[in-house]
Amino acid sequence: MTEYGRGPGSEPWHPEDPLYGDQGWGGQQPAHGQAQYDGQSQYGTQQQYPQGQGHYDPYQQQYQQDPYAQQHQQQDPYAQQQYQQQAYGNQHPQDPYGQQPQQPQPGWDTGQHAVPPYDGQPVATYGYGETNDYYGTPEAYPPPQPPGRREAAPAPAPEPAPDWDPQEPPEETHPFFTGVDEKDDRKAPRDDDYDYDGDDDDRDGGGERRGKGKKKKGRGGCACLVVSLVLVAGVGGAGYYGYSFYQDRFGPAPDYSGSGTGSVEVEIPKGAFGYDIGNILKKAGVVKSVDAFVSAQNENPKGKGIQAGVYLLHSQMSAAEAVKMMVDPKSQNLLVIPEGTPNRLVYASIDTKLGVAKGTTAKVAEKESGSLGLPGWAKDHEGVLDPLEGFLYPAAYPVTKGMKPETVLKSMVSRANEEYEKADLAENAKKLKLKSPWQLITVASLVQAEGKYKHDFDKVARVVYNRLKPNNVETNGLLDFDSTVNYAKKQSTLDTGAVSDLRNFKHPYNTYYIHGLPPGPINNPGDAALQSAIKPTPGPWYYFVSVTEDKTVFAVTNEEHERNREKYKKEQSGQ
């Protein structure tokens, strides 16, 4: 079988040579004016194939079978094998089912090029590719040409010169700058775009103007002015925003100056802190900002001591002045109930604060005592003079004119319930072998009345419990407290009279006459006296006497107590 070469008289193809020899795809392109391949076959002596079976594709370097022949061969695999042996010589039998031909694809597939065989080896074709020879049609691509015969590529055409001068700025075309009416698609200036030097007489009979005036100035200047104003406004707004941001974050808080004017009454509720108080004052028009008040409160050493209550302040005063007035008790419009104050004095204070007639609050208390919030264990005790005694808790209460007495009394009873609940009176009364929390409050009121200072309260409470013991032989179960006589007589004095006279004063609250505790509390005890009544100091004392204003002497026996009394009398007389 003839080997495919480069042409007549050429060397056989070598595997190291590129496709179509050392010239690549263009190796067989004819020169200008020369016939392609000079009338010879492209590959020398071309192999003949049976007629009607197809043709050889020079690009694919393989035999392209006719699809009808392929169909026939698919139907007759033995005929296909015989045909291959005739075309290629003695070949190994091919599996008719393994070499199924592919269906022809449209177009020219340049991606499948058969590798040329080595010397002495036949070329095997498998029928890939197309069945039409596009070299015989006008649509065929030109055959490859050798490099020496190729025509030089035409030089690129020069780019056309621009119809505008890049050195000059572009002319404005927007209707805003040119004066063209975009709505009417008018390209000519309007009549009002001209200024006329002549008078109104320079018009023809039809009323039209004669001649052309001077064209108005363009709108570019107005546009620049508008843009400038917008920029200035933007910069100014940004600067104002930045200044406001700096003032809010880092600048001093807004504040009034001076001590203000007029009079403003504000109420600070219980549990209010710095920012809460500042909000209340700002809403009332006292301070200008909450931050200013909080800052002034932190700077004042007593600022954290502002208590709940009603305060009389001024309008539009500086935060520092507001804090200064609020820490001053004189500025507080409060009803202050001292520890150990009996109810009869509390009622009088409420009347004065509310500006009502004397005795008004006492009548309300007597009439409404059952609906003011007393707990169940504080009701229906026999012989009690005032069921509210011990429940008008000593504290500062906001009271203003216009309030009702029952409102003030309810707030006091409510405060007492809170404090007594904290002290767990019921449980502590059991530990002390008392009948009820009511008796524990009664003991606390006696401690509050007989003692003066906390260090005395603990021992006075012990004296009370010692005298209440059944085996008491010193006083035989009598308390003998002058404070109970004063409560019964609605007085406050140290000279209650001789003991013999007190023994004959028949009154349920007279502890010189009755054994044990009085029917109820004799005042409103504070927390210190209550805690001493709950936890008295252990000791054998049955007597005590106040030697000086700040000194109380306690004794175990009556003889010791009498000696202490004589000593006290001599000190009082100056002997």
Side-chain angles (χ1 to χ4, degrees):
M1 184 179 294
T2 305
E3 295 181 356
Y4 299 117
R6 301 172 184 157
S10 62
E11 293 292 331
W13 179 86
H14 192 272
E16 296 180 359
D17 291 340
L19 187 62
Y20 300 109
D22 57 355
Q23 302 300 326
W25 277 96
Q28 297 300 327
Q29 293 292 335
H32 182 70
Q34 181 180 359
Q36 184 176 358
Y37 310 120
D38 291 336
Q40 298 182 6
S41 172
Q42 180 182 4
Y43 301 101
T45 303
Q46 185 170 353
Q47 183 73 15
Q48 299 297 324
Y49 296 94
Q51 184 175 5
Q53 299 296 325
H55 67 281
Y56 180 79
D57 188 349
Y59 274 30
Q60 300 289 339
Q61 295 188 10
Q62 60 187 8
Y63 178 74
Q64 301 291 338
Q65 294 182 359
D66 186 73
Y68 297 100
Q70 293 178 5
Q71 181 178 3
H72 176 71
Q73 291 176 3
Q74 292 178 0
Q75 296 176 358
D76 190 358
Y78 298 100
Q80 181 181 8
Q81 179 178 5
Q82 182 179 2
Y83 164 72
Q84 291 178 352
Q85 291 178 357
Q86 181 181 357
Y88 302 107
N90 295 328
Q91 300 285 337
H92 293 287
Q94 301 291 329
D95 185 2
Y97 299 100
Q99 300 292 335
Q100 294 294 333
Q102 296 182 355
Q103 295 298 327
Q105 301 293 332
W108 177 43
D109 186 4
T110 61
Q112 300 178 359
H113 304 291
V115 179
Y118 292 98
D119 293 341
Q121 296 182 0
V123 177
T125 61
Y126 301 97
Y128 295 97
E130 299 180 358
T131 59
N132 298 328
D133 185 8
Y134 289 98
Y135 282 94
T137 62
E139 292 81 5
Y141 290 94
Q145 295 183 4
R149 299 179 183 179
R150 296 176 184 173
E151 294 182 358
E159 297 182 0
D163 56 354
W164 53 277
D165 189 357
Q167 302 296 332
E168 295 182 0
E171 183 180 358
E172 296 290 349
T173 59
H174 195 277
F176 182 81
F177 299 98
T178 60
V180 178
D181 193 348
E182 186 178 2
K183 180 177 180 182
D184 298 335
D185 197 18
R186 295 169 55 184
K187 302 300 182 182
R190 297 178 298 206
D191 290 343
D192 57 355
D193 290 340
Y194 296 95
D195 291 334
Y196 291 89
D197 296 335
D199 299 333
D200 293 340
D201 296 338
D202 295 338
R203 298 177 182 231
D204 55 10
E208 296 183 358
R209 297 174 181 138
R210 293 176 298 171
K212 294 183 179 180
K214 296 181 181 179
K215 188 176 181 179
K216 282 187 177 181
K217 295 182 180 179
R219 300 182 183 179
C222 296
C224 294
L225 179 60
V226 172
V227 172
S228 300
L229 292 176
V230 171
L231 291 176
V232 171
V235 173
Y240 177 78
Y241 175 79
Y243 175 77
S244 300
F245 179 81
Y246 175 83
Q247 288 294 110
D248 293 341
R249 293 297 182 90
F250 307 105
D255 194 7
Y256 295 121
S257 59
S259 57
T261 58
S263 179
V264 179
E265 187 178 87
V266 294
E267 181 179 354
I268 306 301
K270 181 181 178 181
F273 296 99
Y275 281 97
D276 302 325
I277 299 174
N279 279 314
I280 295 173
L281 297 182
K282 182 182 178 181
K283 291 179 180 179
V286 176
V287 298
K288 193 171 185 179
S289 66
V290 178
D291 292 336
F293 175 80
V294 174
S295 178
Q297 185 187 28
N298 294 332
E299 292 177 359
N300 193 311
K302 299 180 180 179
K304 298 297 183 180
I306 298 177
Q307 301 294 326
V310 178
Y311 295 84
L312 289 175
L313 304 175
H314 303 302
S315 177
Q316 295 186 0
M317 60 190 309
S318 67
E321 288 294 328
V323 174
K324 184 178 179 181
M325 288 189 66
M326 296 184 75
V327 298
D328 185 3
K330 296 180 181 179
S331 67
Q332 299 181 20
N333 191 17
L334 299 174
L335 174 61
V336 180
I337 306 300
E339 296 176 346
T341 305
N343 280 4
R344 59 184 178 85
L345 298 181
V346 175
Y347 298 150
S349 300
I350 295 175
D351 291 341
T352 303
K353 201 69 175 179
L354 296 181
V356 296
K358 185 178 179 180
T360 301
T361 304
K363 294 178 181 179
V364 172
E366 183 180 0
K367 182 179 179 181
E368 304 291 341
S369 61
S371 61
L372 297 178
L374 290 175
W377 49 262
K379 298 179 179 179
D380 302 329
H381 292 281
E382 186 178 357
V384 174
L385 294 180
D386 188 348
L388 294 181
E389 196 75 66
F391 277 87
L392 303 184
Y393 196 82
Y397 298 93
V399 177
T400 59
K401 292 183 178 181
M403 293 179 65
K404 295 182 179 180
E406 52 263 39
T407 302
V408 181
L409 295 176
K410 282 184 178 181
S411 63
M412 294 180 176
V413 173
S414 176
R415 176 67 181 276
N417 288 331
E418 293 178 5
E419 298 298 331
Y420 293 158
E421 184 176 356
K422 294 178 184 178
D424 195 6
L425 297 185
E427 184 65 23
N428 286 310
K430 293 180 181 179
K431 294 180 181 179
L432 296 169
K433 298 180 180 181
L434 298 175
K435 294 180 180 180
S436 66
W438 179 258
Q439 286 191 338
L440 183 55
I441 298 175
T442 302
V443 173
S445 68
L446 296 175
V447 172
Q448 184 76 64
E450 295 293 333
K452 291 185 178 180
Y453 305 102
K454 181 64 176 66
H455 60 272
D456 293 333
F457 288 164
D458 298 340
K459 292 182 179 180
V460 172
R462 174 53 60 189
V463 170
V464 173
Y465 291 124
N466 287 339
R467 290 186 180 185
L468 291 177
K469 290 179 180 180
N471 57 352
N472 172 22
V473 294
E474 291 294 330
T475 63
N476 297 316
L478 294 173
L479 292 180
D480 290 344
F481 285 165
D482 293 345
S483 57
T484 59
V485 176
N486 287 331
Y487 181 79
K489 293 182 177 182
K490 297 181 181 179
Q491 63 182 16
S492 179
T493 179
L494 295 176
D495 188 7
T496 57
V499 174
S500 58
D501 296 335
L502 295 177
R503 299 291 184 196
N504 296 323
F505 176 57
K506 297 180 181 180
H507 195 280
Y509 278 82
N510 181 11
T511 56
Y512 283 92
Y513 175 77
I514 65 167
H515 291 77
L517 294 172
I522 62 174
N523 58 39
N524 295 284
D527 183 69
L530 182 63
Q531 294 302 322
S532 296
I534 293 173
K535 296 179 181 179
T537 301
W541 311 291
Y542 284 89
Y543 305 93
F544 62 89
V545 59
S546 297
V547 178
T548 60
E549 185 176 355
D550 58 349
K551 183 180 179 181
T552 301
V553 178
F554 295 85
V556 177
T557 63
N558 188 32
E559 291 78 7
E560 183 181 1
H561 173 63
E562 291 297 330
R563 289 196 299 268
N564 292 335
R565 288 174 63 91
E566 292 296 329
K567 183 179 181 180
Y568 168 70
K569 291 180 180 179
K570 290 180 180 180
E571 291 179 356
Q572 291 293 328
S573 62
Q575 297 179 359

